[in-house]
Each structure stands twice: as structure tokens, then as C-alpha cells.
């Protein structure tokens, strides 16, 4: 089995878990490749077994069976950009903080790897958002798992985002910015702006203003079959476009449209983990003494 690994710097206390992970994969006769930057960091903290090689962004991942994302949710968002349309299943190992997407705790890595090899998992497809701009802003990696945002950049004044759905005028948002979120991103930036939580399989986008001037303007759910386009104005000539963790500065005359990407991100879910249990765990839902005994929280 060929396995690719991507990751970000981690606390020194986690080194033994990752050392054991590499040794376990080699013992199972897996072909392991590690993204070059993480390999360099990893080699300073653990003893990398012989035979493990590296890859860079742009190298083909054809033949890779699983990708392990070692870090937080941001690391997994970056991992999606490496996988792209190949839709290789991604398992998130959480060495970060909250972990809505990267759900495997370091102490549970051995059981998680064993489940991969035994087939004790399910695959969950997550929709992606695609951003097309003129002039081009994000290059070939113009898709994201969480959200696309338009934000003011270098002034305290609000911006105006004129928004259209399938060419039909929706609204002009006077705000600090505007977010278009996928269901996966509904527990991220959109949630902090008052947007709803959506189940991952919901075929919708959330349009949520950031600090709107008009308080009666609320987040809106629209079908992800729609094409949402924008025109921006404001006192500044420059604005910020953000796609997950990637940001670029653009001029006000940029043309922007978002739609659902024609491929998905494929996440590995182990048998004891699902979205509802993650919600209860991460958002502390149900932690109330009024809950009757016996109801799992």
C-alpha cells in the first residue's frame, strides 16, 4: 500500500507517536512518501526509517491509496489542494487544537492505521467551492473545502459587495466582507458570523456577511448548483480574497464567480466517528445537568 504524508510542525511531546507511526507503516511493508518540507522538519525530531522518500507540490500522487494529514484542520485544508481531482482518501491526525476535520488523536494512531489496513472505515465525500476570477487570482488551485471570502484590506471603511445568483441580483452587502461557505465550512468562519451549521451532505452554500451595516441582513442558504457572482466597491482600490487559508490582494475591477467544484474531497471516517459526535464533542453540545441520565453527550 502506498501512503503519502503531509504535516506541519508539532509539539515535541508528539514525536514518539509519529516515530511509532512511521515504524508501523514500514513494518506493514507500505511505500511511504512524505512532502519534502515536512520530511525536513520531521527528520529533526524522529528517526525516519530507510526507504521513505519525498515529494513536492505538483508531483503526481497517482497510485497513492491514502494520504495522512498530520496537524490541525488547516493542515487538512492544505492537503486537499495536493490531492485535487484525484480524490485520494485523506485521514486527519489531529496534532492541532479544535479538530473538526482532523479527528484522530495521537494516542489513537495505532488503532486508526489498523482500521485502514483492515478496511474498518467509511469514506465521506465533501463538496468543494471553486472560484473563477478575471484576472486570475488563485491559479490552478482555485478550489477550497471551507469557504471563499471577500474582505476589506487597508481601510476602516466598509466595502459594498454587489451579489448575484445565476445572474439575478440578490443584494448589495455593506459590510466588512462577505463569506460563501460550503457545508464543511459551516463550522468555521461562517459560524462566527452567525451562519447556521449544516450537515456535510447538504447540497448548499451559505452566504454570510461579515459585520454588516444593516442588521436585518442575515446569512442566506442557496443551492450549490447556483453560480454566485460579485462586484466590489469601496474607498480603497484593493480588496482581499481568501480561499480557505490562501489570500490574495486584488483590484476593485476584478470579476468574481463561485460555484461547486466538479470533484470532491474524500475524507476517511473511522467507525466510531461521525459528524454529529464531532459536533457534540467540539461545541460541547449536551453538556447540561438537565440532560436525563443515559443520554449520550
Amino acid at each position: 500500500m502506498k501512503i503519502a504524508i503531509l504535516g506541519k510542525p508539532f509539539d515535541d511531546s508528539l514525536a514518539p507517536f509519529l516515530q511509532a507511526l512511521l515504524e508501523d507503516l514500514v513494518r506493514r511493508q507500505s511505500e511511504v512518501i512524505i512532502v519534502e518540507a515536512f520530511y525536513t522538519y520531521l527528520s529533526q525530531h524522529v528517526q525516519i526509517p530507510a526507504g521513505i522518500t519525498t515529494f513536492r507540490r505538483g508531483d503526481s500522487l497517482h497510485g497513492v491509496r491514502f494520504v495522512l494529514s498530520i496537524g490541525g484542520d488547516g493542515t487538512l485544508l492544505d492537503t486537499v489542494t495536493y490531492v485535487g481531482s484525484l480524490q485520494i482518501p485523506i485521514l486527519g491526525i489531529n496534532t492541532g487544537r479544535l479538530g473538526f476535520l482532523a479527528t484522530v488523536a495521537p494516542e489513537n494512531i495505532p488503532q486508526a492505521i489498523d482500521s485502514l489496513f483492515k478496511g474498518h472505515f467509511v469514506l465521506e465525500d465533501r463538496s468543494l467551492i471553486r472560484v473563477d476570477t478575471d484576472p486570475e487570482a488563485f491559479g490552478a488551485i482555485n478550489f477550497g473545502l471551507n469557504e471563499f471570502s471577500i474582505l476589506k484590506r487597508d481601510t476602516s471603511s466598509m466595502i459594498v459587495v454587489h451579489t448575484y445568483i445565476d445572474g439575478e441580483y440578490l443584494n448589495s452587502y455593506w459590510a466588512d466582507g462577505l463569506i460563501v461557505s460550503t457545508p464543511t465550512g459551516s463550522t468555521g468562519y461562517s459560524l462566527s458570523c452567525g451562519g447556521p451549521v449544516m450537515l456535510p451532505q447538504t447540497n448548499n452554500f451559505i452566504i454570510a456577511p461579515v459585520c454588516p451595516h444593516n442588521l436585518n441582513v442575515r446569512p442566506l442558504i442557496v443551492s450549490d448548483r447556483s453560480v454566485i457572482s460579485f462586484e466590489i466597491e469601496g474607498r480603497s482600490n484593493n480588496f482581499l480574497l481568501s480561499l480557505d487559508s490562501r489570500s490574495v490582494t486584488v483590484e476593485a475591477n476584478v470579476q468574481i464567480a463561485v460555484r461547486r467544484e466538479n470533484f470532491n474531497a474524500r475524507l476517511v471516517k473511522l467507525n466510531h466517528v461521525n459528524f454529529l459526535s464531532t459536533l457534540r464533542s467540539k461545541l460541547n453540545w449536551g453538556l447540561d445537568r438537565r440532560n436525563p441520565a443515559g443520554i449520550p453527550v
Side-chain angles (χ1 to χ4, degrees):
M1 185 184 293
K2 188 174 183 179
I3 294 178
I5 298 177
L6 295 94
K8 295 290 174 66
F10 50 82
D11 188 89
D12 289 343
S13 63
L14 300 175
F17 296 104
L18 302 184
Q19 180 75 63
L21 167 64
L22 297 178
E23 293 173 356
D24 188 15
L25 293 176
V26 170
R27 186 168 53 252
R28 294 174 186 268
Q29 299 183 335
S30 301
E31 180 184 352
V32 180
I33 58 174
I34 303 177
V35 70
E36 191 172 71
F38 187 55
Y39 182 97
T40 301
Y41 176 83
L42 200 58
S43 63
Q44 299 169 4
H45 295 79
V46 304
Q47 184 67 41
I48 298 180
I52 293 180
T53 58
T54 65
F55 69 98
R56 297 179 179 180
R57 183 181 291 279
D59 291 349
S60 174
L61 294 181
H62 281 285
V64 171
R65 180 73 182 277
F66 295 103
V67 178
L68 305 184
S69 172
I70 300 174
D73 286 352
T75 308
L76 196 143
L77 295 178
D78 191 37
T79 300
V80 169
T81 68
Y82 279 83
V83 172
S85 60
L86 293 176
Q87 299 188 132
I88 302 168
I90 302 169
L91 176 67
I93 296 173
N94 184 23
T95 60
R97 291 183 291 273
L98 193 58
F100 266 99
L101 301 173
T103 55
V104 177
E107 61 270 19
N108 294 331
I109 291 175
Q111 297 94 317
I113 297 302
D114 196 50
S115 294
L116 282 188
F117 279 82
K118 290 181 177 179
H120 296 169
F121 61 87
V122 295
L123 297 179
E124 186 174 86
D125 283 349
R126 299 290 186 97
S127 61
L128 301 170
I129 189 168
R130 173 190 174 97
V131 181
D132 294 302
T133 62
D134 185 15
E136 193 174 81
F138 293 101
I141 309 176
N142 63 337
F143 57 90
L145 178 58
N146 263 9
E147 73 272 314
F148 166 71
S149 306
I150 302 170
L151 302 166
K152 66 180 186 178
R153 179 175 177 268
D154 54 5
T155 175
S156 60
S157 300
M158 292 178 295
I159 60 175
V160 186
V161 184
H162 306 291
T163 305
Y164 304 81
I165 298 178
D166 294 327
E168 183 177 347
Y169 176 65
L170 169 64
N171 188 32
S172 294
Y173 292 92
W174 297 72
D176 285 353
L178 192 71
I179 303 167
V180 182
S181 169
T182 66
T184 299
S186 70
T187 54
Y189 194 6
S190 172
L191 183 64
S192 69
C193 293
V197 174
M198 289 200 297
L199 297 181
Q201 289 73 34
T202 308
N203 297 318
N204 293 302
F205 288 135
I206 303 167
I207 302 175
V210 181
C211 300
H213 178 67
N214 302 99
L215 298 182
N216 59 334
V217 177
R218 311 307 303 162
L220 177 69
I221 297 175
V222 301
S223 168
D224 65 7
R225 298 190 178 205
S226 305
V227 177
I228 309 170
S229 54
F230 310 95
E231 297 172 356
I232 316 170
E233 16 174 328
R235 295 183 181 178
S236 172
N237 291 322
N238 296 310
F239 306 95
L240 193 68
L241 303 185
S242 176
L243 183 56
D244 284 351
S245 56
R246 289 157 282 138
S247 299
V248 294
T249 301
V250 297
E251 296 183 354
N253 61 358
V254 66
Q255 298 180 39
I256 308 167
V258 302
R259 68 195 75 203
R260 179 171 177 164
E261 184 55 276
N262 58 16
F263 55 85
N264 298 317
R266 186 159 289 166
L267 305 185
V268 174
K269 292 298 178 185
L270 304 180
N271 290 343
H272 63 284
V273 175
N274 59 53
F275 181 74
L276 298 182
S277 65
T278 302
L279 272 183
R280 292 194 301 271
S281 171
K282 304 303 179 181
L283 297 183
N284 293 329
W285 285 8
L287 295 183
D288 192 311
R289 66 181 62 186
R290 294 170 296 180
N291 277 322
I295 294 182
V297 294

